[in-house]
Amino acid sequence: MRIANVLFTFLSILAFGCGHQSSSSSLVDQSMTVDWSSVNTKPVPSITNEAVTTVGPLPLEGNIETKTVPKDSKIPTALILGAGGYRSLSHIALLKQLKLAGEEPLVIVGHGLSSIIAAYYAFGFEPDYIEWKFFKFINELDGEPIFEKEWLELVKKKLINELKGKRIEEGRLTLMIPTWSESKKAVTFHKRGDLESLLMANLDHKGILNNDLQPAFTYKTIGKKEIYDIGVKRIIYIDLLVNGITWSRGSGFFNGIFEKAASVTLKSEGKADILVSYPLKEFEIDDLTKIADLVFKSKSLAKKEIHSLKGEKNSL
């Protein structure tokens, strides 16, 4: 009888654990692979936003409530957000449209400043909140040049402060952060590890914070094998560089880096199932004076592209 009671208790605990996805162990397992269980919803943080006139949409007080959203899409998709300095803000409009269309990706990857957008999104923050976060950060800048030491310190303190202490595998979606290792001479698409340090490495072109890990997008932008190995069947790459690179301050060092990145993207075209190239040449990579125009244009581009993505969906 005692053995039977122990067995009944064990089976009860096992059944309870399988029915609840909020434990740390189930969260890690789910973040690393595509979950095709019969349950199609899961609770995620919900952040409410409203428009203001100074620094973009402003979250209301209070913060986290629970809502239910689709956990998978009809075609398991990886969305790769290409690098582009401040042009990266154009990705946010596409994330909004994808959510509205019910086409949320299962895997999200970000390069450069876009990696921060990907990280916030993977951890359940709404696109409007991400937009507000970037506008607030930009509003607090005081002429610090992009990618330089003072700018990096402000990114760490002001822009990614809400991601501090988190690990990549804890996200709502599967998140990948690519980096180049100078010592190993290789690109790694990280699915585990300290989120903050890997995000900062994605911006540290000069090795100011870490003399080993650097941005990966000048070497490799699409890890096809790494992405397909976890069950993805479609890769969408959003390119912000191929149609033209311009700078307001004319940095030869950074211009060379991004020219190389554009070349790498061109060579990687065949690795993406869908390549979306945004015509953003008029927006300098390091210029903040046209951010409002950039956001406005990205909304129309996103609406146009979402129709194309829907058309591609049925052909795969």
Side-chain angles (χ1 to χ4, degrees):
M1 178 66 70
R2 183 178 181 181
I3 295 175
N5 288 337
V6 172
L7 180 60
F8 175 79
T9 302
F10 172 77
L11 292 175
S12 298
I13 294 172
L14 180 61
F16 179 83
C18 292
H20 290 74
Q21 298 298 322
S22 60
S23 69
S24 59
S25 60
S26 63
L27 180 60
V28 171
D29 292 340
Q30 188 178 45
S31 73
M32 299 299 293
T33 60
V34 177
D35 183 2
W36 291 109
S37 67
S38 59
V39 181
N40 195 44
T41 60
K42 63 182 291 189
V44 299
S46 173
I47 299 175
T48 308
N49 306 271
E50 63 179 7
V52 296
T53 58
T54 55
V55 293
L58 180 66
L60 295 176
E61 296 291 335
N63 191 314
I64 303 297
E65 62 184 48
T66 299
K67 70 174 183 178
T68 301
V69 298
K71 188 177 64 177
D72 54 38
S73 56
K74 294 180 181 178
I75 296 177
T77 298
L79 180 65
I80 303 179
L81 308 181
Y86 292 131
R87 290 182 187 177
S88 298
L89 272 73
S90 62
H91 290 311
I92 300 173
L94 182 61
L95 292 177
K96 291 182 186 181
Q97 290 299 317
L98 286 172
K99 289 201 75 170
L100 289 172
E103 296 291 332
E104 188 172 55
L106 288 169
V107 178
I108 189 164
V109 185
H111 288 282
L113 201 57
S114 304
S115 66
I116 298 176
I117 295 172
Y120 270 111
Y121 191 73
F123 274 79
F125 290 88
E126 296 288 340
D128 281 339
Y129 182 85
I130 301 171
E131 185 176 85
W132 169 81
K133 190 74 178 177
F134 270 84
F135 270 97
K136 187 173 186 297
F137 166 71
I138 289 170
N139 195 57
E140 293 175 355
L141 290 175
D142 188 23
E144 290 82 2
I146 193 171
F147 305 130
E148 297 292 354
K149 183 179 180 180
E150 295 79 7
W151 184 87
L152 291 171
E153 291 173 350
L154 284 171
V155 168
K156 189 173 184 178
K157 182 179 180 180
K158 301 287 187 179
L159 187 55
I160 63 172
N161 56 309
E162 290 173 270
L163 302 174
K164 185 177 178 63
K166 299 185 183 298
R167 294 183 61 81
I168 292 177
E169 63 267 27
E170 295 172 346
R172 177 180 66 96
L173 303 177
T174 298
L175 172 66
M176 289 186 174
I177 304 293
T179 62
W180 164 264
S181 171
E182 187 62 29
S183 61
K184 296 178 181 178
K185 304 296 181 185
V187 170
T188 299
F189 284 75
H190 300 272
K191 299 187 290 293
R192 294 183 182 274
D194 179 66
L195 181 58
E196 180 186 43
S197 61
L198 291 170
L199 289 176
M200 293 307 299
N202 246 267
L203 306 170
D204 192 6
H205 295 279
K206 294 183 176 181
I208 297 171
L209 305 177
N210 187 322
N211 58 13
D212 182 35
L213 295 183
Q214 300 173 12
F217 60 87
T218 56
Y219 302 94
K220 186 178 182 179
T221 56
I222 302 172
K224 190 170 184 177
K225 182 180 185 301
E226 294 91 336
I227 293 173
Y228 279 139
D229 278 352
I230 58 175
V232 168
K233 298 186 181 300
R234 178 174 67 170
I235 297 175
I236 301 174
Y237 184 84
I238 312 299
D239 162 58
L240 307 179
L241 300 176
V242 170
N243 283 326
I245 297 172
T246 53
W247 295 82
S248 64
R249 299 197 181 194
S251 169
F253 175 77
F254 289 123
N255 187 66
I257 286 175
F258 279 82
E259 288 286 356
K260 181 181 178 182
S263 176
V264 169
T265 298
L266 280 174
K267 293 176 182 177
S268 302
E269 283 186 1
K271 296 182 180 180
D273 298 296
I274 302 172
L275 177 66
V276 178
S277 293
Y278 276 4
L280 300 174
K281 186 176 181 179
E282 72 268 31
F283 300 103
E284 290 88 353
I285 286 174
D286 60 336
D287 185 24
L288 294 174
T289 63
K290 300 178 182 177
I291 289 295
D293 293 333
L294 172 67
V295 171
F296 180 79
K297 182 172 182 177
S298 67
K299 290 178 181 179
S300 61
L301 289 172
K303 289 178 181 179
K304 177 181 178 182
E305 293 300 337
I306 199 67
H307 294 296
S308 299
L309 296 180
K310 283 183 177 180
E312 291 281 353
K313 176 178 172 182
N314 297 322
S315 66
L316 296 176

